[in-house]
Amino acid sequence: MASSSKVESDSEDEALDEEVEHFDDFTLASSWERFISEIEAVCRQWMSDGPKNLLEKGAVLLEFSKNLYKVKFELKYALKSYLMEYYFEKSNTDDGKVSDWNFNLHDLQLCFGVKDFLVIAPQSASGVVLDAPESSKLLSAVAIALSNCSSLLPAFVPVHDPSRKAYIGIQNRGTVFTRRFESDHIGSQVPVKLMHLEGLYELFVSKFAYSTLDISVHLFKVHFTMKLTYRTLSFDDDNDVQETDAEMTESGGNPASDIYSKAQWDDDCPWSEWYSAEDPVKGFEVIAIWSEKMVESSSEMAELENASPHEAEKWILFPIFSENLTDGSKGNQNGFASQLHFLVDALDMSFEAQFMEDFVSVENQGPDNLTTSMVIPPPTVIDRMLKELFHEGVQEPNFAKGEHKNSRAIKGAPLESLFAQFCLHSLWVGNCNIRAIAVLWIEFVREVRWCWEESQPLPKMPANGSIDLSTCLINQKLQMLAICIESKRELNEDYQDCIGSMDQASPHKKEDDPFGEDSDSSIMLTPGENFDGKRDSPSKPDDLHGSGTTVSKFSSEPEHMVLADPKPSDCIRRGSAGVVGSMMLLKSHQRMHAPFTQDAPLMTEDMHEERLRAVEALGDSFNFSAQLEKEILSTDMSAFKAANPDAIFEDFIRWHSPGDWEIDDTQEKRPIKRLAMEDSNNDWPPRGRLSRRMSEHGNLWRKIWNDAPALPASEQKPLLDPNREGEKILHYLETLRPHLLLEQMVCTAFRASADALNQTSYGGLKQMATKMEQLYLTMAPSLRPLQANRLSSGSEIIDDLRRLCGVLEHVEKLLTVAASLHRKFLQAPRLSEAIFSDYYIFFLPRMGTASVGDNAQMDFDKKQQVRIHERPVVSNMFTLPTANQSWRKVLSMGNLLNGHEPVLREIIFSIRDRVSDHYAAHVPSVYQQEIETYRMYTCGTSNDLRVALSVVSCD
């Protein structure tokens, strides 16, 4: 019995084992549960880490937000791959709700009013679930996983076609309530009723009201808030203008010379003389926000639709900038910086020829790498440019106009000077290639020679004053040539006048002159005038130190003159400019006269260098300098002798160098100069003596005095021979090496471009003023190697100059932004300053002054709140559209702003109820809380509509 029972038990065990072997435990082994378990594990890990640890593990900040981050995880289920993303904010709060109109919200945050959330989607080309059962199953899996880990995060699944931006979602709201989400989009044929606020209100009410109720007559306490976005018409539609500029540039024309039928935004900007820039501010968006209010009927919504945007509680202004500002490959290519790139290329090629004629000569075609693209402009273009340079008035230039305080650190030419204007014109001749520049330069020099030979004033150059050695050598030469032309004209006029006066006035002089031969028409003095000025010559040796009056012999005589010193003299007085105060001559006790003297000879930089080289060659700089100044001192002494025939050496020292006339110590201590100038009859002769250096034996000044003849300045040999110097200057210009010309052109073009830009009016934008100052400080050291002639073909300096062009390009773009904003907000300067400050921070990384790399923000998204008194300025930008601009004539929506309907209307409807989060039927009100039971977000225009609905239900 035992054995049989044992056999039976063994057989039963075997049967039981077989049953166990074939049993599948679906509660543990299904792929569905493994999928849910994997989602749950990932969610638990994310919840336990928290925002701080997730950031350390590489959470990614979204571009449009400052506070929203994202982590992701890949999942697999049923041979498909899914991507689950967790969106969270760094600064988390307990309410889990975001403000309605935060501009940094994610699309799902705005649609459904959530804060942190999950999104799970298949990894496919569309990234959405097209199958309804699959989406429901996927959402259920996430909901179960979140419930298992007691998470209250909402989860969303994208559905339908990607263009519909449709989602379904679910959120566990505790033990009782569940919140469900759904959104969809109508891309066309929006029902007319839903174009108006009244219809949208009724759509929302229909989601919770009984279908049998007449919504139009019942009152429902609905919370309502609205945001309307308006967009101005484009300020600048200049495609046609740019095409015209491009055609003219290709043909070698100057785009500034033609007048467009359409007024440009920058017509009054300083660069408009040379090119027309695209308006960097393409327009503005104005966002009008109505704060939350209670609406109870459809009629109230109809009234709101007729309300003016000025009734909105808040206005937000968002500028729309041109994409070309941040894309160097696009935009207006005719700015100063882009043309300077070509000028630098021409400088690099200029070393390949000996003369400028080699680049255009028929016999000698110049370098082999001169391509056919280097077009020589037609003669009509060259003639037009020469006319602008030489024949549009000869008014005195204003070199201080537009000049920055750091401008003189760049050794170029002033903006209004002839050479600077030549350089700016050359930027737009034949696209600034070396052959076109050579043609323009050759014709330019021919015009300069014509002015010289015909004694015509050189335009845009001062014909007086001293040579400005801080400018480039070509500008110094042209300035000296202008002075030589003027001197040449005056000498010719004086010669003709002298011939005429000698023929007519000489026979009548003795009869008409009541003072006899001693009287001279030049012995006159303006009442109260005192010729006691000094001329201290710098860097003079002691033996030649002196001061005196310098009166140009070409100066016109004063209108009101009185006779002085009527006592006759043994000799004829000639070349007197008038008496010198009460000073008397020591020997004859006659009044001292100041002579007309020649101006000191002008010298350019290379002439000074020749002197220095001569000093080095002779080895005795003191004696050589004295010899160089001997001619000047000798002419002054000759003129003084002619004006004061009875003068002695001591008289000349008292007038020319009062410091070398010493007064006795026993005499009353008065200023030396005053004692020398105010001798009187009661104190004669004046007590004093020559200084030690002037009284030494063999003094050079006394030797020059003894050898100097008595000749007035008009009869002396000119210190500056205008004919000789003029020919030397023209020879320099005609034989100037190409690379020396281009070096000076580059320096001048950079300086002139910066000075032209510096004239731009941009109001009180301090960042722009700082950037302009930094530009000059950057250009000065970058261009300094060009002044030392250390440049060679292929030099690294060429690359530095190309980088400098990039710096100028950034500043030029930024300046157009500043100018455009300033013009648009003349009556609201605070807005222009605030917008420019934001854009400056955005643009700064692109200027090469900040090391942000790939973290640089791609799109500008800063907005400014408009104050009440600034709203009229902003609303005036919304002008009625013209017939040429595309415009929808039929207005389908309300809330018009100066005839403009909103380009986007966003509305949030909501219903709030006090509910309890417990299963008990009767709960004291103290345990109840107010929650948003129904919420509907709508977004769209008359052509499209998007609706997002969230509903809280009791499960």
Side-chain angles (χ1 to χ4, degrees), residues 619-916:
D620 189 347
S621 61
F622 179 85
N623 289 334
F624 184 77
S625 298
Q627 184 64 31
L628 293 176
E629 297 293 341
K630 179 180 177 180
E631 293 182 1
I632 301 175
L633 186 59
S634 178
T635 59
D636 289 348
M637 290 180 174
S638 294
F640 187 81
K641 282 184 175 182
N644 301 278
D646 297 327
I648 59 176
F649 178 66
E650 285 78 0
D651 292 322
F652 177 77
I653 294 300
R654 291 167 58 219
W655 168 72
H656 192 278
S657 181
D660 286 307
W661 182 256
E662 297 179 351
I663 307 301
D664 292 340
D665 296 337
T666 58
Q667 197 171 355
E668 182 183 354
K669 293 184 177 179
R670 289 184 291 165
I672 295 175
K673 179 179 178 183
R674 185 170 179 178
L675 283 169
M677 307 299 284
E678 297 184 0
D679 294 330
S680 65
N681 294 329
N682 298 328
D683 188 15
W684 187 262
R687 298 184 180 89
R689 62 178 181 273
L690 292 175
S691 65
R692 181 177 179 181
R693 70 184 187 114
M694 288 297 176
S695 58
E696 289 179 349
H697 179 71
N699 178 266
L700 183 60
W701 280 46
R702 186 177 290 276
K703 183 178 183 301
I704 297 173
W705 171 266
N706 295 333
D707 296 339
L711 288 176
S714 59
E715 300 178 15
Q716 296 174 6
K717 177 183 177 182
L719 292 173
L720 173 66
D721 186 349
N723 293 295
R724 182 185 62 186
E725 295 299 333
E727 289 296 337
K728 287 171 62 178
I729 292 169
L730 288 168
H731 177 73
Y732 167 83
L733 297 176
E734 291 169 344
T735 59
L736 186 61
R737 294 297 176 90
H739 71 93
L740 296 178
L741 169 63
L742 267 296
E743 286 174 2
Q744 297 181 65
M745 284 184 64
V746 168
C747 287
T748 299
F750 268 103
R751 172 177 169 174
S753 299
D755 284 345
L757 294 175
N758 188 53
Q759 296 180 22
T760 306
S761 175
Y762 48 79
L765 304 180
K766 296 180 180 178
Q767 298 98 326
M768 193 67 249
T770 302
K771 187 53 64 177
M772 286 300 300
E773 185 170 357
Q774 291 176 354
L775 174 64
Y776 282 98
L777 297 178
T778 303
M779 288 196 302
S782 300
L783 298 173
R784 194 166 293 125
L786 300 182
Q787 306 167 17
N789 296 329
R790 300 199 305 264
L791 196 61
S792 60
S793 180
S795 170
E796 293 181 357
I797 299 175
I798 299 294
D799 296 330
D800 294 338
L801 293 176
R802 292 192 175 103
R803 284 190 287 269
L804 184 61
C805 292
V807 174
L808 179 62
E809 181 180 5
H810 292 312
V811 175
E812 196 172 4
K813 288 181 177 180
L814 197 62
L815 191 65
T816 59
V817 174
S820 181
L821 290 174
H822 175 62
R823 280 157 176 73
K824 292 174 174 60
F825 293 103
L826 286 174
Q827 304 301 321
R830 185 199 66 87
L831 282 176
S832 64
E833 292 174 9
I835 294 173
F836 182 78
S837 179
D838 289 338
Y839 190 82
Y840 180 81
I841 296 173
F842 165 78
F843 195 75
L844 193 62
R846 292 157 179 79
M847 300 182 71
T849 55
S851 56
V852 294
D854 297 333
N855 295 327
Q857 188 178 348
M858 297 304 296
D859 297 317
F860 181 80
D861 59 359
K862 297 293 183 181
K863 302 173 178 64
Q864 291 294 328
Q865 184 167 342
V866 181
R867 297 174 181 174
I868 296 296
H869 68 276
E870 296 169 336
R871 289 188 182 185
V873 178
V874 176
S875 62
N876 287 338
M877 296 181 183
F878 290 84
T879 56
L880 293 175
T882 62
N884 294 330
Q885 293 165 319
S886 65
W887 179 254
R888 187 170 54 241
K889 300 297 182 181
V890 180
L891 301 178
S892 305
M893 304 167 65
N895 305 114
L896 301 182
L897 177 60
N898 289 358
H900 293 248
E901 67 178 5
V903 296
L904 187 65
R905 179 173 60 190
E906 299 173 83
I907 303 172
I908 296 176
F909 297 100
S910 62
I911 290 287
R912 295 168 190 165
D913 293 315
R914 297 187 66 84
V915 296
S916 173

Side-chain angles (χ1 to χ4, degrees), residues 306-498:
N306 294 325
S308 168
H310 289 276
E311 299 178 14
E313 281 73 14
K314 186 183 295 185
W315 273 26
I316 304 296
L317 186 66
F318 173 61
I320 303 172
F321 291 102
S322 171
E323 296 179 356
N324 300 335
L325 287 173
T326 55
D327 188 351
S329 62
K330 299 179 181 179
N332 195 317
Q333 297 298 318
N334 286 331
F336 286 124
S338 60
Q339 300 305 115
L340 282 169
H341 273 287
F342 298 127
L343 186 61
V344 172
D345 293 339
L347 170 63
D348 195 21
M349 294 190 64
S350 64
F351 295 90
E352 301 177 9
Q354 294 295 317
F355 302 99
M356 293 300 290
E357 289 79 2
D358 295 340
F359 291 104
V360 294
S361 175
V362 177
E363 294 80 8
N364 182 8
Q365 290 297 329
D368 297 333
N369 59 347
L370 286 177
T371 62
T372 56
S373 63
M374 294 186 180
V375 181
I376 296 178
T380 54
V381 175
I382 299 296
D383 291 343
R384 186 181 63 209
M385 289 189 172
L386 293 175
K387 182 179 178 181
E388 293 175 359
L389 288 171
F390 287 92
H391 304 295
E392 290 192 352
V394 197
Q395 66 275 10
E396 188 76 13
N398 181 14
F399 288 164
K401 180 181 178 182
E403 188 174 70
H404 192 271
K405 63 180 181 180
N406 296 325
S407 180
R408 289 183 172 270
I410 303 170
K411 200 172 181 63
L415 174 61
E416 298 296 326
S417 66
L418 180 60
F419 184 60
Q421 293 296 305
F422 165 81
C423 293
L424 291 179
H425 276 81
S426 68
L427 294 178
W428 278 274
V429 57
N431 209 15
C432 198
N433 65 77
I434 185 65
R435 298 183 67 195
I437 293 173
V439 171
L440 184 60
W441 173 253
I442 293 170
E443 295 300 324
F444 174 81
V445 175
R446 286 177 182 170
E447 286 291 329
V448 172
R449 175 168 281 282
W450 179 87
C451 291
W452 164 252
E453 292 176 350
E454 299 297 327
S455 297
Q456 294 299 315
L458 201 60
K460 301 178 175 64
M461 295 303 298
N464 49 37
S466 59
I467 304 297
D468 188 355
L469 299 180
S470 66
T471 62
C472 64
L473 185 57
I474 293 178
N475 184 74
Q476 296 177 38
K477 294 289 186 182
L478 292 175
Q479 185 179 356
M480 189 165 184
L481 182 62
I483 296 174
C484 290
I485 292 175
E486 184 65 21
S487 299
K488 183 179 173 184
R489 292 179 61 192
E490 290 179 348
L491 287 174
N492 293 337
E493 292 174 359
D494 289 347
Y495 177 74
Q496 297 297 331
D497 293 342
C498 286

Side-chain angles (χ1 to χ4, degrees), residues 895-949:
N895 305 114
L896 301 182
L897 177 60
N898 289 358
H900 293 248
E901 67 178 5
V903 296
L904 187 65
R905 179 173 60 190
E906 299 173 83
I907 303 172
I908 296 176
F909 297 100
S910 62
I911 290 287
R912 295 168 190 165
D913 293 315
R914 297 187 66 84
V915 296
S916 173
D917 196 12
H918 294 273
Y919 283 108
H922 301 285
V923 180
S925 60
V926 70
Y927 294 105
Q928 294 182 350
Q929 60 177 338
E930 186 178 70
I931 64 172
E932 203 172 53
T933 54
Y934 290 87
R935 184 184 191 274
M936 186 178 78
Y937 166 80
T938 65
C939 171
T941 65
S942 58
N943 292 331
D944 63 292
L945 179 65
R946 186 181 184 190
V947 179
L949 181 67

Side-chain angles (χ1 to χ4, degrees), residues 532-538 540 544-551 597-601 629 632-633 635-637 652 655-658 719:
D532 57 356
K534 279 188 172 185
R535 181 192 65 199
D536 292 326
S537 179
K540 286 186 180 181
L544 289 178
H545 176 76
S547 62
T549 301
T550 300
V551 184
T597 59
Q598 294 194 56
D599 292 325
E629 297 293 341
I632 301 175
L633 186 59
T635 59
D636 289 348
M637 290 180 174
F652 177 77
W655 168 72
H656 192 278
S657 181
L719 292 173

